[in-house]
Amino acid sequence: MKVCVLPGDGIGPEIVGEAVRVLEALRADGLKIEMENALLGGCAVDATGEPYPAATQKLAREADAVLLGAVGGPKWDSLPRPQRPERGLLGIRKDLNLFANLRPAVVYPELAGASTLKPEVVAGLDILIVRELTGDIYFGEPRGIEERNGERVGFNTMIYSESEIVRIGRVAFEAARKRNRRVCSVDKMNVLETTQLWRDVMIELAKEYPDVELSHMLVDNAAMQLVKAPKQFDVVVTGNIFGDILSDEASMLTGSIGMLPSASLDDSNKGMFEPIHGSAPDIAGKGVANPLATILSAAMMLRYSFGDEQSAARVEQAVRSVLASGLRTGDIWQEGAKRVGTREMGDAVLAAL
Ligand code: NAD
């Protein structure tokens, strides 16, 4: 398998460096993997003037999977929109047709105290948010800001086609089959026609998955239920904008942004794997960033793109045992734990592996 590695900006190179060391250790044990680095985001703008340059595009298209750190930072915030690092991110997702975003929110027993919610509400939490990533109001046309009747008006279009709903629905049902066989589809069908269609299509699709239980929830209720009783969920599937908000909310249930991986997949299991956090400019270059979300993203890559459940589980188990041994980076540090930096955390995962 060929992996395109995109360290990106800020803490990206530091945390990706640790994930690459983990993959190299697995390679020494027989994993067939080739890795090649390329530029995405601010570093690409600096080098080429574009956030998603042609050379990166070529490598990303040829590769079987992409491992990304994070992009962006204050240095590039005042550039014109097409040159901003975030455009590189949207560009690669669209280019590789990564329509399915999978975000697990898992609370490790040792870190239950890190959540702002009561430990009994979140301890043992293990949910998966499946967000549609290439459609909806984020991409719908027409869009813009224009002058009407002497004042400015802003407008966007919320739009989903049946085929887009079916393909994200399948990802959710298939994922549920590997978990607890429950899918909750989130919409706003009482107000929005687009999501009435979403609900109708999900109900039709569910007939093909009689072994998976489908339920529905309005997005406002889902936002409440996620903080009230998050363990009621197994897989949650929703559109791009609702998923954007709910997946960030779900990630905060864990209280540790530096722990959460994500996968964005196309329909052939090719994917881009990245931590959910950003480039953390405030701590970049200090060697204190938590590399575990990126290491766990590499584990998701092994599971979803390589189809190598054994190696994925091995990496996840190594992370668990490092947490159990009491090592913590600053973001998840608690009284009584040993505070370590990025490199030391990577060393510990390698040793546990
Ligand atoms: P952020 O996630 O980068 O940081 C939020 C806070 O969490 C900061 O205090 C940071 O120090 C901390 N943090 C994040 N990751 C950490 C880690 N691994 N270990 C320890 N602490 C960690 O979000 P932000 O500050 O809103 O954004 C910073 C930049 O990142 C912006 O330019 C933004 O556009 C970009 N961004 C990129 C992505 C991406 O590449 N996918 C996602 C979100 C934000």
Side-chain angles (χ1 to χ4, degrees), residues 11 70-73 86 89 257-258 274 277-283 289-290 331:
I11 58 170
V71 302
E86 294 72 19
L89 206 53
I257 195 170
E274 55 177 315
H277 58 72
S279 57
D282 52 332
I283 55 167
N290 186 348
D331 57 313

